[in-house]
Amino acid sequence: MTEEPNEAGETDKTDPQTAIDSVAGNRDDRVYEHNAGDEQEGIPFVGAGPGNPRLLTVAGRELLADADLVVHAGSLVNSELLEEYCDDAETVSSIGKDLEELIPLMRDAYEAGDTVVRLHSGDPAIYGAALEQMDALEHEGVPTYIVPGVTSAFAASATMRTQLTLNEVANHVAFTRPQGKTLDEDEDHISEFVGMGDVTTCIYLGTHAVSETMDRLLEDGHDPETPVAAIYHASWPDEDVIEGTIATIGEKLEDAGYRASAMVVIGDAVGGEDYERSFLYGDWANRGSDSTDGTQEADD
């Protein structure tokens, strides 16, 4: 798309790809100047959390309370959160808007003196497409930074009353998505993760493809009795938990009619069973139990 120059001879919109390419290989000095959670200058990219307004971070809540404009991720952000924390701000959904529309919207509001917040669902670091927006804004001279949120895999773990890692059951966690429009077949590693045995595999953005994914796992020879849970709208008022196995979860999910917004978790940690007591609160924790002041004594 070609932009017509304004009266100053400048185009109103920067090509986002140009902005992305311009920062390649350059480490920003702010990496060494700020910690996550610091108040910073610019537009914050805030993780809204999985849905429940109470799972928004304190930093996120404070930023929303002071905002004049909140650009949010549409229906992926619970409307109750917007009503509770964004009552005094103008709210604009980003759904249906491309970078060429979003960047000038946020840039112009910021340059006009408004306090702008970009509100992503979950955590911006997980399938949020935040960095391309941040790079484009930075290219326009607008500083940005990230405020972490609670990702839906953690909300699903809390709902299931288990851990994603369990001693002697699951030593690793994989955040992934299934093949489709944005992921080629050779980039889909779900089968590899499941095949490792001690990995809890958390599948984002793939409710529509669960049956096909499970069929591929069966074709690859994985145990059909491997536990699987699909947590629909984790932490939302209409949250639903569907439990099954690689062999059964696809049909169960289709019967429930859920096509989006479900976190699918595969692995033995789903049931929270057969794990071993950790060293943390066992022998390791009692190494200094003979110390009279309750402190751990150093080895001679």
Side-chain angles (χ1 to χ4, degrees), residues 194-211:
V194 174
M196 293 177 185
D198 64 343
V199 176
T200 301
T201 304
C202 302
I203 304 177
Y204 289 73
L205 307 172
T207 311
H208 64 286
V210 170
S211 290

PDB file of all heavy atoms in Angstrom, residues 194-211:
ATOM      1  N   VAL A 194       5.673 -34.727  22.977  1.00  0.00           N
ATOM      2  CA  VAL A 194       4.952 -35.802  23.663  1.00  0.00           C
ATOM      3  C   VAL A 194       5.824 -37.043  23.748  1.00  0.00           C
ATOM      4  O   VAL A 194       5.829 -37.757  24.754  1.00  0.00           O
ATOM      5  CB  VAL A 194       3.620 -36.105  22.942  1.00  0.00           C
ATOM      6  CG1 VAL A 194       2.938 -37.326  23.553  1.00  0.00           C
ATOM      7  CG2 VAL A 194       2.684 -34.904  23.005  1.00  0.00           C
ATOM      8  N   GLY A 195       6.602 -37.291  22.711  1.00  0.00           N
ATOM      9  CA  GLY A 195       7.457 -38.466  22.684  1.00  0.00           C
ATOM     10  C   GLY A 195       8.571 -38.451  23.697  1.00  0.00           C
ATOM     11  O   GLY A 195       9.125 -39.499  24.042  1.00  0.00           O
ATOM     12  N   MET A 196       8.921 -37.289  24.204  1.00  0.00           N
ATOM     13  CA  MET A 196       9.976 -37.206  25.217  1.00  0.00           C
ATOM     14  C   MET A 196       9.552 -37.794  26.549  1.00  0.00           C
ATOM     15  O   MET A 196      10.390 -38.149  27.374  1.00  0.00           O
ATOM     16  CB  MET A 196      10.411 -35.745  25.398  1.00  0.00           C
ATOM     17  CG  MET A 196      11.103 -35.174  24.183  1.00  0.00           C
ATOM     18  SD  MET A 196      11.522 -33.416  24.411  1.00  0.00           S
ATOM     19  CE  MET A 196      12.169 -33.034  22.785  1.00  0.00           C
ATOM     20  N   GLY A 197       8.255 -37.875  26.783  1.00  0.00           N
ATOM     21  CA  GLY A 197       7.753 -38.559  27.964  1.00  0.00           C
ATOM     22  C   GLY A 197       7.656 -37.712  29.206  1.00  0.00           C
ATOM     23  O   GLY A 197       6.654 -37.755  29.916  1.00  0.00           O
ATOM     24  N   ASP A 198       8.688 -36.924  29.506  1.00  0.00           N
ATOM     25  CA  ASP A 198       8.674 -36.134  30.736  1.00  0.00           C
ATOM     26  C   ASP A 198       8.433 -34.651  30.439  1.00  0.00           C
ATOM     27  O   ASP A 198       8.928 -33.778  31.135  1.00  0.00           O
ATOM     28  CB  ASP A 198       9.963 -36.312  31.533  1.00  0.00           C
ATOM     29  CG  ASP A 198      11.185 -35.809  30.791  1.00  0.00           C
ATOM     30  OD1 ASP A 198      11.103 -35.628  29.554  1.00  0.00           O
ATOM     31  OD2 ASP A 198      12.226 -35.586  31.440  1.00  0.00           O
ATOM     32  N   VAL A 199       7.656 -34.387  29.397  1.00  0.00           N
ATOM     33  CA  VAL A 199       7.323 -33.028  28.991  1.00  0.00           C
ATOM     34  C   VAL A 199       5.821 -32.812  29.120  1.00  0.00           C
ATOM     35  O   VAL A 199       5.021 -33.648  28.681  1.00  0.00           O
ATOM     36  CB  VAL A 199       7.752 -32.750  27.533  1.00  0.00           C
ATOM     37  CG1 VAL A 199       7.307 -31.365  27.089  1.00  0.00           C
ATOM     38  CG2 VAL A 199       9.257 -32.884  27.381  1.00  0.00           C
ATOM     39  N   THR A 200       5.420 -31.698  29.738  1.00  0.00           N
ATOM     40  CA  THR A 200       4.023 -31.282  29.704  1.00  0.00           C
ATOM     41  C   THR A 200       3.862 -30.345  28.518  1.00  0.00           C
ATOM     42  O   THR A 200       4.503 -29.290  28.459  1.00  0.00           O
ATOM     43  CB  THR A 200       3.619 -30.546  31.002  1.00  0.00           C
ATOM     44  OG1 THR A 200       3.832 -31.424  32.111  1.00  0.00           O
ATOM     45  CG2 THR A 200       2.157 -30.144  30.954  1.00  0.00           C
ATOM     46  N   THR A 201       3.045 -30.729  27.563  1.00  0.00           N
ATOM     47  CA  THR A 201       2.882 -29.969  26.333  1.00  0.00           C
ATOM     48  C   THR A 201       1.618 -29.120  26.409  1.00  0.00           C
ATOM     49  O   THR A 201       0.516 -29.653  26.581  1.00  0.00           O
ATOM     50  CB  THR A 201       2.799 -30.909  25.117  1.00  0.00           C
ATOM     51  OG1 THR A 201       3.972 -31.739  25.082  1.00  0.00           O
ATOM     52  CG2 THR A 201       2.709 -30.128  23.822  1.00  0.00           C
ATOM     53  N   CYS A 202       1.782 -27.815  26.305  1.00  0.00           N
ATOM     54  CA  CYS A 202       0.665 -26.870  26.381  1.00  0.00           C
ATOM     55  C   CYS A 202       0.424 -26.300  24.992  1.00  0.00           C
ATOM     56  O   CYS A 202       1.292 -25.617  24.432  1.00  0.00           O
ATOM     57  CB  CYS A 202       0.985 -25.743  27.364  1.00  0.00           C
ATOM     58  SG  CYS A 202       1.365 -26.306  29.035  1.00  0.00           S
ATOM     59  N   ILE A 203      -0.759 -26.573  24.445  1.00  0.00           N
ATOM     60  CA  ILE A 203      -1.068 -26.176  23.080  1.00  0.00           C
ATOM     61  C   ILE A 203      -1.976 -24.949  23.096  1.00  0.00           C
ATOM     62  O   ILE A 203      -3.101 -24.983  23.577  1.00  0.00           O
ATOM     63  CB  ILE A 203      -1.746 -27.311  22.299  1.00  0.00           C
ATOM     64  CG1 ILE A 203      -0.867 -28.565  22.329  1.00  0.00           C
ATOM     65  CG2 ILE A 203      -2.017 -26.888  20.866  1.00  0.00           C
ATOM     66  CD1 ILE A 203      -1.499 -29.764  21.645  1.00  0.00           C
ATOM     67  N   TYR A 204      -1.467 -23.855  22.533  1.00  0.00           N
ATOM     68  CA  TYR A 204      -2.217 -22.614  22.379  1.00  0.00           C
ATOM     69  C   TYR A 204      -2.867 -22.576  20.998  1.00  0.00           C
ATOM     70  O   TYR A 204      -2.381 -23.194  20.045  1.00  0.00           O
ATOM     71  CB  TYR A 204      -1.281 -21.410  22.495  1.00  0.00           C
ATOM     72  CG  TYR A 204      -0.744 -21.122  23.876  1.00  0.00           C
ATOM     73  CD1 TYR A 204       0.226 -21.942  24.449  1.00  0.00           C
ATOM     74  CD2 TYR A 204      -1.171 -20.016  24.599  1.00  0.00           C
ATOM     75  CE1 TYR A 204       0.743 -21.666  25.701  1.00  0.00           C
ATOM     76  CE2 TYR A 204      -0.661 -19.728  25.863  1.00  0.00           C
ATOM     77  CZ  TYR A 204       0.297 -20.556  26.404  1.00  0.00           C
ATOM     78  OH  TYR A 204       0.802 -20.284  27.650  1.00  0.00           O
ATOM     79  N   LEU A 205      -3.927 -21.815  20.882  1.00  0.00           N
ATOM     80  CA  LEU A 205      -4.493 -21.421  19.582  1.00  0.00           C
ATOM     81  C   LEU A 205      -4.836 -22.604  18.698  1.00  0.00           C
ATOM     82  O   LEU A 205      -4.773 -22.511  17.480  1.00  0.00           O
ATOM     83  CB  LEU A 205      -3.501 -20.520  18.830  1.00  0.00           C
ATOM     84  CG  LEU A 205      -2.981 -19.307  19.599  1.00  0.00           C
ATOM     85  CD1 LEU A 205      -1.879 -18.623  18.810  1.00  0.00           C
ATOM     86  CD2 LEU A 205      -4.091 -18.330  19.891  1.00  0.00           C
ATOM     87  N   GLY A 206      -5.245 -23.704  19.313  1.00  0.00           N
ATOM     88  CA  GLY A 206      -5.437 -24.879  18.477  1.00  0.00           C
ATOM     89  C   GLY A 206      -6.674 -25.686  18.751  1.00  0.00           C
ATOM     90  O   GLY A 206      -6.732 -26.869  18.382  1.00  0.00           O
ATOM     91  N   THR A 207      -7.692 -25.101  19.396  1.00  0.00           N
ATOM     92  CA  THR A 207      -8.882 -25.880  19.720  1.00  0.00           C
ATOM     93  C   THR A 207      -9.503 -26.489  18.467  1.00  0.00           C
ATOM     94  O   THR A 207      -9.975 -27.625  18.475  1.00  0.00           O
ATOM     95  CB  THR A 207      -9.925 -24.998  20.435  1.00  0.00           C
ATOM     96  OG1 THR A 207      -9.275 -24.287  21.492  1.00  0.00           O
ATOM     97  CG2 THR A 207     -11.036 -25.847  21.017  1.00  0.00           C
ATOM     98  N   HIS A 208      -9.478 -25.721  17.377  1.00  0.00           N
ATOM     99  CA  HIS A 208     -10.089 -26.183  16.131  1.00  0.00           C
ATOM    100  C   HIS A 208      -9.364 -27.386  15.548  1.00  0.00           C
ATOM    101  O   HIS A 208      -9.934 -28.124  14.732  1.00  0.00           O
ATOM    102  CB  HIS A 208     -10.064 -25.052  15.104  1.00  0.00           C
ATOM    103  CG  HIS A 208      -8.675 -24.653  14.708  1.00  0.00           C
ATOM    104  ND1 HIS A 208      -7.850 -23.926  15.554  1.00  0.00           N
ATOM    105  CD2 HIS A 208      -7.935 -24.902  13.593  1.00  0.00           C
ATOM    106  CE1 HIS A 208      -6.686 -23.735  14.959  1.00  0.00           C
ATOM    107  NE2 HIS A 208      -6.706 -24.321  13.786  1.00  0.00           N
ATOM    108  N   ALA A 209      -8.113 -27.599  15.963  1.00  0.00           N
ATOM    109  CA  ALA A 209      -7.291 -28.634  15.347  1.00  0.00           C
ATOM    110  C   ALA A 209      -6.974 -29.784  16.295  1.00  0.00           C
ATOM    111  O   ALA A 209      -6.100 -30.601  15.991  1.00  0.00           O
ATOM    112  CB  ALA A 209      -5.990 -28.011  14.836  1.00  0.00           C
ATOM    113  N   VAL A 210      -7.678 -29.883  17.412  1.00  0.00           N
ATOM    114  CA  VAL A 210      -7.334 -30.900  18.407  1.00  0.00           C
ATOM    115  C   VAL A 210      -7.502 -32.307  17.842  1.00  0.00           C
ATOM    116  O   VAL A 210      -6.631 -33.169  18.001  1.00  0.00           O
ATOM    117  CB  VAL A 210      -8.171 -30.720  19.687  1.00  0.00           C
ATOM    118  CG1 VAL A 210      -7.993 -31.920  20.612  1.00  0.00           C
ATOM    119  CG2 VAL A 210      -7.763 -29.444  20.412  1.00  0.00           C
ATOM    120  N   SER A 211      -8.630 -32.579  17.188  1.00  0.00           N
ATOM    121  CA  SER A 211      -8.863 -33.931  16.655  1.00  0.00           C
ATOM    122  C   SER A 211      -7.770 -34.339  15.680  1.00  0.00           C
ATOM    123  O   SER A 211      -7.238 -35.459  15.751  1.00  0.00           O
ATOM    124  CB  SER A 211     -10.230 -33.997  15.965  1.00  0.00           C
ATOM    125  OG  SER A 211     -11.271 -33.913  16.909  1.00  0.00           O
TER     126      SER A 211
END
